[in-house]
Amino acid sequence: MTDAGVPPVTLGGKGATALTSTALFSVSVGRARLSVDASSYDRLSAAGPAPPQQPAAIPLASSPIPPYFSPAEHRAALTVLLNKLLAASVSSNVRALLPDLILGHLNSSDSSEAFKFEALSLTEEESGLVERSCCGLYGVCGILDHQVTSLSALIDAVAALSCEAVRADVGCVNLMDSGDGFVSKEEIGVAGDLRVLLNGSKLVGKVEVEGVASVPKVNGVLRKVAKAVHAESRMNLNSALRKGKSGDGAGEAVANVVLPLADVVFNVGKSSLGRAKMNLVSIENESLKNDLGILFENKSVKCDDLSGQFKVVMDSYVAGDCNRFVHEVLGLVGMVWKIVAWELITSSVALEGRELVVESKRDGEGNGVQVDKKSEKKKKKVVLGKGTSVILQLFKDMLQRKEGFGCNSAEGLEKLVTWTMLFVETKDSGFDDFLTKVKDIVDSNESRRLPKLPKGTRDFSKEQMTIREKAFSIITEVFKKHGATALDTPVFELRETLMGKYGEDSKLIYDLADQGGELCSLRYDLTVPFARYMAMNGLNSLKRYQIAKVYRRDNPSKGRYREFYQCDFDIAGQYVKMGPDFEVLKILTELLDNLSIGDYEVKLNHRKLLDGMLEICGVPPEKFRTICSSIDKLDKQPFEQIRKEMIEEKGLTAEMADGIGSLVKERGSPLELLAKLQQEGSKFMENKGSVEALSDLKILFKALEKSKCIDKIVFDLSLARGLDYYTGVIYEAVFKGATQVGSIAAGGRYDNLIGMFGNKQVPAVGVSLGIERVFAIMEQLQKDQNQVVRATETQVLVGFLGDDLPQAAELASEFWDAGLKADYLVNKRVMKHIDHAKELRVPFMVLVGERELSEGVVKLKDMDAAKEETIARERIIQELKNRLSSS
């Protein structure tokens, strides 16, 4: 009874694989034998005949398998029960008696009779396990899973044959994913498969047929529901036995998953039956049409039969009989299989005509006589699709292998119907091979789909990639020159990690579908993941860079994408005041200069200064963040529109809005505007937060002036940056050239963000370069290139003994401007510099204190040789270059 080519299905044991619906089906129809892992038998034997703690053996009250189950359903239920008992033997006392009897029954030559549960004497524990197994319910659900999965794989190919048989217009196959999420991906998948199968066909596109236009939607829904049934079946076949009363809600859970399947299978059946009737009408040979029509009328499933079975299904669901319900659904699926078989028969005969059933003629003694093809009337060649032509040939090859193929028309048609019906019942192992070949045709066809990119994404050619890789190399070199180490984080984060960090922009976060596990979202930027990493690992300081893609559910436009790269540089930890802010801005100007992007400016503001401005204008503190979001739109919208939003939507008075309007117009040279805001009588000097911000900016601007990059900075009070986590300096780089693409880089200080994920606050500042707006050629960064042993490529640590940032900025900038890979540290303690140099593994360290500054010298320390010497400041750059080149 079993197929020699089908491997046995092994249950139990640590090495055994999960029981699948395909394996269950093979056992249920007698195509595969069952075996039990030896380790499971050891556990069963160890349980003994009747444990002392168990009560005396008792007969089972009733069979857990309903009497109306078919032999295949009965065998499936027994297989599930055996699997559950073997799994339960790990923690329960299950004797070998019952599993042995079940295994013997399933592997017997004649297992058509029902298994006699009532004749068994089981322990109370064994009896409870059997009653709670839900083996009948799960067994039939497993068969359903296999049958529907197979049906879903075949119906598209059969529908494609019908499209050609009736010469249908197939505009429905041109369905594409618009990227807006309003079209089912399963529906798009069906349309794509039909395009593959019908590619090159000269028969389609002539007649509008309702039964064809609905194929992508109807078959797409079946794919979707089949996935849900598969997930439920896979879980139930291998889950541990439930505790409590029999079933304990399991039946209702399965029925609620299977119910949508019944509805969609019913619709698939009606759709397929309609096409089968149209195929009959399209057969050109009248004799063949009449003969096949008689068979169709006598043997096919009628629409009333299908509707009647669907009513039985729904009645059993309403009655709450879950076993009966899944049994009747399986009956409905069986009917639809027969309908699909008729669609296959009618479409094939319509396309091939008499040649499908008469391939040879017989002499008077019944011997085959080859047909003289030349004597036959030459028939016009019919050009089928590249996929459908192969499928039709596979079907013909299957028929020709049958004994008796090639007789007269009427008898040949009857045998064709009989063989096809047996074939698609999927008890024939050849059906699996046929189905596999159909899948291969769809998957391997060169004209698979006319692809389309999702909105807001881009492809890049090899020519563009050449420039792209050069850009990444420049960016990486600048980051490493400043002593940063690389970091990579997951492309998605827990949703709770991202929410509440981006203000009104939180609506742009891409949420991933809830699949029954953790709620996750695609990362919106790289800063929040960095903060999460710092807190999760308990780090107090880190200078890191990251180049990776981020995702935003924005409206795509010129220069605005849904997927794009960001290049982030962040410094976290306690440093000299405004030190990290200075270095990040220095890095930003170096990046934009080295990338040769043209004219640009870096707009800069301070969050405390912005809050002070709002406070001066009378804005309530609880409205600060939402008003900042409005101000942040000033680069895209005129102030009058922003003013209207602040008054009508956000509740400000006209006086407040006008006050904001007068102040946000202030912009100019950093030092000049700073002096204006700090002069006597300025409203900002009357606000505590503003005074602190202006003090910070004075230190920063002097450092930027010393580092010779202040000419790229514009002090702009309209810069708001809508993200909630900023606490200090904020900045944004924009193009000033002809191509206006908006912001190309942005960043700021966020002292409280890391603390939101942990128990301690770690101040941080960073910048993010959105290079998709600079280069239209960016795609994937090759991050994992050959890395040196050291975490950084820093060649020298510039240690400034003291707290004078501008002097340190001037000295460090000399090294950077000379092309040296340098890090700098401002600290009064010498050991801090030495420890930092050892941590970075730099070969040289330059130390400068007040005495060295006054004498115009520096101390150069060879870290490997542990030697230190004094070098004139004007010679230190060349001296270092000479030593580095000779080492």
Side-chain angles (χ1 to χ4, degrees):
M1 190 175 181
T2 58
D3 289 343
V6 180
V9 176
T10 303
L11 302 180
K14 296 180 179 179
T17 57
L19 177 60
T20 65
S21 59
T22 300
L24 179 70
F25 179 81
S26 296
V27 174
S28 72
V29 297
R31 284 173 48 194
R33 291 180 62 83
L34 269 177
S35 65
V36 174
D37 189 271
S39 62
S40 293
Y41 265 121
D42 292 340
R43 291 196 301 271
L44 293 170
S45 300
Q53 67 270 26
Q54 295 277 1
I58 58 174
L60 195 65
S62 61
S63 172
I65 304 175
Y68 50 79
F69 269 19
S70 68
E73 291 171 321
H74 194 92
R75 288 174 59 82
L78 285 176
T79 305
V80 172
L81 177 58
L82 178 58
N83 194 45
K84 298 285 186 183
L85 291 173
L86 294 174
S89 65
V90 177
S91 58
S92 304
N93 291 311
V94 179
R95 299 171 299 165
L97 172 65
L98 181 56
D100 271 343
L101 289 174
I102 294 175
L103 184 65
H105 180 82
L106 289 170
N107 286 337
S108 65
S109 58
D110 183 12
S111 58
S112 58
E113 292 188 4
F115 186 78
K116 304 298 184 182
F117 282 94
E118 294 81 357
L120 297 175
S121 291
L122 305 178
T123 65
E124 184 177 351
E125 184 174 11
E126 290 170 340
S127 179
L129 291 173
V130 172
E131 290 177 353
R132 297 198 307 274
S133 67
C134 298
C135 60
L137 184 72
Y138 295 160
V140 177
C141 189
I143 297 178
L144 268 175
D145 176 23
H146 174 81
Q147 292 275 42
V148 172
T149 300
S150 300
L151 180 65
S152 179
L154 182 64
I155 54 175
D156 298 338
V158 176
L161 290 172
S162 294
C163 290
E164 293 183 308
V166 300
R167 277 55 172 174
D169 176 74
V170 289
C172 61
V173 307
N174 295 320
L175 185 65
M176 292 287 187
D177 187 359
S178 61
D180 55 14
F182 295 137
V183 182
S184 165
K185 68 176 183 179
E186 286 80 13
E187 187 177 344
I188 294 169
V190 172
D193 290 346
L194 290 173
R195 283 202 304 275
V196 170
L197 294 166
L198 296 170
N199 180 48
S201 175
K202 300 298 184 181
L203 297 179
V204 297
K206 300 176 181 179
V207 182
E208 290 189 9
V209 180
E210 183 179 352
V212 169
S214 61
V215 168
K217 182 171 290 293
V218 173
N219 294 7
V221 175
L222 180 62
R223 287 189 183 189
K224 181 178 179 179
V225 175
K227 290 179 181 178
V229 173
H230 175 71
E232 180 73 14
S233 175
R234 186 177 185 276
M235 177 184 67
N236 290 333
L237 291 179
N238 299 281
S239 61
L241 283 172
R242 299 170 181 265
K243 295 182 179 180
K245 297 181 180 180
S246 176
D248 198 19
E252 290 78 4
V254 171
N256 288 333
V257 174
V258 174
L259 180 61
L261 176 66
D263 184 63
V264 70
V265 166
F266 176 60
N267 289 328
V268 167
K270 289 194 299 181
S271 178
S272 180
L273 185 59
R275 290 191 296 273
K277 292 177 180 179
M278 289 188 293
N279 293 338
L280 265 175
V281 175
S282 67
I283 296 175
E284 295 179 355
N285 185 290
E286 289 298 326
S287 174
L288 202 59
K289 180 191 297 185
N290 291 334
D291 290 341
L292 188 57
I294 292 171
L295 289 172
F296 183 81
E297 181 65 25
N298 293 334
K299 295 188 175 184
S300 70
V301 176
K302 307 298 186 295
C303 190
D304 288 345
D305 299 332
L306 188 67
S307 298
Q309 180 61 26
F310 183 67
K311 184 178 185 304
V312 171
V313 167
M314 298 310 296
D315 288 345
S316 61
Y317 176 80
V318 173
D321 188 343
C322 298
N323 281 323
R324 172 70 72 175
F325 171 67
V326 294
H327 166 77
E328 298 297 349
V329 172
L330 186 57
L332 180 66
V333 171
M335 279 189 173
V336 173
W337 264 114
K338 292 178 181 179
I339 292 172
V340 173
W342 270 108
E343 184 183 358
L344 175 60
I345 293 167
T346 55
S347 61
S348 300
V349 173
L351 291 169
E352 290 292 299
R354 191 174 299 277
E355 293 179 7
L356 188 66
V357 292
V358 185
E359 289 292 320
S360 64
K361 293 182 179 180
R362 305 275 169 175
D363 60 18
E365 299 179 358
N367 298 316
V369 178
Q370 292 296 322
V371 177
D372 184 1
K373 298 293 183 181
K374 293 181 180 179
S375 65
E376 295 271 319
K377 184 179 179 180
K378 190 172 181 181
K379 188 176 181 181
K380 185 178 179 181
K381 186 178 180 181
V382 176
V383 180
L384 302 179
K386 292 181 180 179
T388 50
S389 61
V390 177
I391 290 172
L392 190 56
Q393 187 60 50
L394 288 173
F395 183 52
K396 290 167 63 177
D397 291 345
M398 180 274 295
L399 292 175
Q400 289 173 357
R401 288 194 294 270
K402 298 294 183 179
E403 183 180 354
F405 179 77
C407 41
N408 64 67
S409 177
E411 187 179 350
L413 279 174
E414 189 162 359
K415 288 189 175 183
L416 168 64
V417 171
T418 301
W419 289 331
T420 305
M421 289 300 167
L422 289 174
F423 183 63
V424 298
E425 282 183 356
T426 68
K427 292 180 180 179
D428 187 336
S429 60
F431 177 80
D432 291 338
D433 297 333
F434 178 78
L435 204 58
T436 299
K437 290 176 181 177
V438 171
K439 292 178 181 177
D440 290 342
I441 291 169
V442 174
D443 292 338
S444 64
N445 197 291
E446 292 181 359
S447 60
R448 167 109 186 111
R449 310 183 189 282
L450 295 175
K452 179 183 178 182
L453 279 173
K455 291 181 179 179
T457 62
R458 302 185 68 187
D459 281 329
F460 301 96
S461 67
K462 57 183 180 181
E463 293 82 8
Q464 292 172 313
M465 285 299 297
T466 301
I467 304 172
R468 179 188 186 89
E469 290 174 355
K470 180 181 178 182
F472 278 125
S473 177
I474 292 171
I475 293 167
T476 302
E477 282 299 310
V478 172
F479 286 162
K480 290 182 177 180
K481 185 171 70 174
H482 285 261
T485 57
L487 176 68
D488 192 20
T489 56
V491 73
F492 55 89
E493 297 273 349
L494 291 177
R495 194 172 300 170
E496 64 191 43
T497 300
L498 302 181
M499 297 309 293
K501 313 299 189 305
Y502 304 108
E504 293 184 3
D505 283 348
S506 292
K507 64 179 181 286
L508 302 182
I509 293 175
Y510 265 114
D511 292 332
L512 299 181
D514 181 4
Q515 297 179 339
E518 296 173 322
L519 297 179
C520 297
S521 301
L522 293 179
R523 62 189 174 202
Y524 177 90
D525 65 6
L526 303 178
T527 304
V528 170
F530 168 62
R532 187 264 309 153
Y533 173 84
M534 289 286 296
M536 190 174 71
N537 291 278
L539 301 178
N540 293 318
S541 64
L542 182 65
K543 183 186 287 188
R544 85 85 165 89
Y545 73 90
Q546 184 174 0
I547 302 176
K549 288 180 178 179
V550 297
Y551 302 86
R552 297 183 183 179
R553 196 166 51 86
D554 210 342
N555 290 321
S557 60
K558 185 177 181 180
R560 185 181 296 274
Y561 303 99
R562 290 177 171 177
E563 177 192 62
F564 55 95
Y565 269 100
Q566 283 188 340
C567 304
D568 275 27
F569 182 97
D570 292 83
I571 303 175
Q574 297 287 349
Y575 295 89
V576 64
K577 191 172 187 180
M578 303 307 293
D581 308 74
F582 144 72
E583 185 175 6
V584 168
L585 283 165
K586 172 66 177 178
I587 289 169
L588 175 57
T589 58
E590 285 184 11
L591 284 175
L592 299 181
D593 288 341
N594 293 351
L595 288 170
S596 301
I597 62 171
D599 199 10
Y600 69 91
E601 68 179 16
V602 180
K603 297 190 293 184
L604 183 147
N605 200 358
H606 198 294
R607 202 59 180 262
K608 290 182 179 179
L609 188 63
L610 190 61
D611 289 350
M613 178 183 69
L614 297 179
E615 188 175 341
I616 291 169
C617 295
V619 177
E622 63 271 15
K623 292 184 179 290
F624 280 6
R625 295 289 74 86
T626 185
I627 297 303
C628 283
S629 296
S630 297
I631 296 173
D632 194 40
K633 301 174 186 176
L634 281 170
D635 60 335
K636 308 178 188 71
Q637 301 175 10
F639 178 75
E640 285 305 314
Q641 190 171 343
I642 300 300
R643 180 181 184 276
K644 183 178 179 181
E645 175 183 306
M646 289 190 293
I647 295 173
E648 296 182 2
E649 298 180 20
K650 300 189 175 180
L652 294 193
T653 65
E655 184 180 1
M656 293 177 187
D658 292 336
I660 293 171
S662 64
L663 293 177
V664 296
K665 295 176 183 178
E666 296 284 0
R667 74 187 307 267
S669 169
L671 291 173
E672 291 178 4
L673 183 54
L674 176 69
K676 178 181 177 180
L677 298 180
Q678 286 184 315
Q679 69 185 0
E680 186 176 349
S682 170
K683 294 181 179 179
F684 289 99
M685 297 306 293
E686 300 173 3
N687 181 275
K688 181 180 178 181
S690 298
V691 171
E692 293 178 2
L694 294 172
S695 177
D696 290 345
L697 292 175
K698 184 175 183 179
I699 299 172
L700 175 63
F701 291 159
K702 287 186 176 181
L704 292 172
E705 184 181 34
K706 288 288 186 179
S707 66
K708 302 176 182 178
C709 61
I710 199 169
D711 59 315
K712 300 292 185 181
I713 310 297
V714 175
F715 191 5
D716 189 341
L717 295 190
S718 70
L719 180 66
R721 301 289 295 144
L723 304 184
D724 282 356
Y725 53 68
Y726 286 126
T727 59
V729 173
I730 51 177
Y731 30 84
E732 183 176 272
V734 294
F735 279 112
K736 294 176 65 179
T739 304
Q740 296 297 320
V741 293
S743 170
I744 57 172
R749 173 166 286 279
Y750 51 99
D751 287 346
N752 301 326
L753 182 59
I754 296 174
M756 294 175 69
F757 299 106
N759 298 322
K760 56 184 177 182
Q761 296 288 359
V762 180
V765 63
V767 66
S768 179
L769 180 68
I771 50 178
E772 293 289 358
R773 293 186 177 185
V774 179
F775 299 96
I777 45 104
M778 300 188 67
E779 196 176 38
Q780 183 173 353
L781 173 68
Q782 299 175 352
K783 299 177 183 178
D784 299 325
Q785 299 176 351
N786 294 331
Q787 298 291 323
V788 296
V789 176
R790 290 173 54 204
T792 73
E793 295 182 3
T794 306
Q795 298 166 317
V796 58
L797 172 65
V798 181
F800 198 88
L801 298 171
D803 56 6
D804 191 342
L805 174 63
Q807 290 291 348
E810 181 180 15
L811 180 60
S813 293
E814 291 176 9
F815 286 89
W816 293 327
D817 294 342
L820 292 172
K821 298 173 183 176
D823 195 6
Y824 87 107
L825 180 64
V826 180
N827 197 285
K828 296 180 180 180
R829 298 175 58 186
V830 176
M831 285 307 301
K832 285 287 185 180
H833 295 276
I834 295 176
D835 291 342
H836 191 48
K838 290 180 178 179
E839 181 183 355
L840 297 177
R841 296 185 180 180
V842 294
F844 299 98
M845 180 174 68
V846 171
L847 282 175
V848 179
E850 291 184 5
R851 185 172 66 84
E852 286 78 14
L853 278 175
S854 62
E855 295 177 1
V857 298
V858 299
K859 288 184 178 180
L860 177 61
K861 186 176 182 65
D862 188 326
M863 299 301 295
D864 293 330
K867 293 182 179 179
E868 182 178 298
E869 56 184 297
T870 301
I871 306 290
R873 179 165 175 169
E874 63 268 22
R875 291 197 306 110
I876 185 60
I877 300 295
Q878 190 58 47
E879 180 67 21
L880 264 177
K881 286 185 175 181
N882 293 339
R883 297 195 183 195
L884 289 168
S885 61
S886 62
S887 60

